[in-house]
Amino acid sequence: MVRKILLLGNTQLYEVSEEIKESELEYIKEVVGDLHDTITDFRNKNNWGRAIAAPQIGVKKKLIYMLIDKPVVFINPVMEFGEDNAEQMEVLDDCMSFPNLLVKLWRHKKSKIYYKDLDFKDCEMELDEDLSELLQHEYDHLD
């Protein structure tokens, strides 16, 4: 189901998300379906959008959905920026919660994300450049 994306200024966007418990997976799968439908609808209307965080549709859970080549679900993600990942890059950041605004900021060029998948199995992913920036942005939505 396509959900309304909360816009900048909505106080729900500033609340800290809760960790997902394994017992919530059936509910989370429904939310993932909504995130997929919502980002697909947004793309069709705006011709951009690669990932969305659950808080953007009013679900205060630590959940990110990325749709680039194939869907990737990040449950309870934790990002790491080691000393060897200290190099940063300046980016113009856009967001589905403020679609007509670009914000200049600094992001780590490299990072690592630890997360659980939809089977609640531990996963990790090394991120470079645009993927590092993208997941840092979505991660910010969780806290």
Side-chain angles (χ1 to χ4, degrees), residues 100-117:
N100 298 313
L101 180 66
L102 292 174
V103 178
K104 190 184 289 188
L105 51 95
W106 290 90
R107 295 284 189 195
H108 292 273
K109 276 192 171 184
K110 294 183 179 193
S111 58
K112 189 179 232 183
I113 189 167
Y114 300 90
Y115 62 99
K116 293 193 180 291
D117 64 13

Side-chain angles (χ1 to χ4, degrees), residues 46-101:
N46 298 282
N47 295 314
W48 62 275
R50 301 177 293 160
I52 188 169
Q56 290 179 273
I57 61 168
V59 177
K60 292 182 278 186
K61 294 291 184 180
K62 291 187 181 279
L63 175 66
I64 297 170
Y65 180 78
M66 182 173 71
L67 184 59
I68 298 179
D69 298 325
K70 62 178 183 154
V72 181
V73 175
F74 301 87
I75 295 173
N76 299 333
V78 175
M79 293 198 78
E80 180 180 275
F81 313 99
E83 286 183 32
D84 56 334
N85 292 330
E87 189 177 1
Q88 294 192 0
M89 59 187 173
E90 188 175 36
V91 297
L92 284 174
D93 201 16
D94 57 9
C95 180
M96 288 181 273
S97 290
F98 48 89
N100 298 313
L101 180 66

Side-chain angles (χ1 to χ4, degrees), residues 1-13:
M1 171 174 67
V2 175
R3 304 271 293 266
K4 179 181 174 188
I5 297 173
L6 302 181
L7 297 178
L8 182 66
N10 187 309
T11 57
Q12 292 180 64
L13 289 172

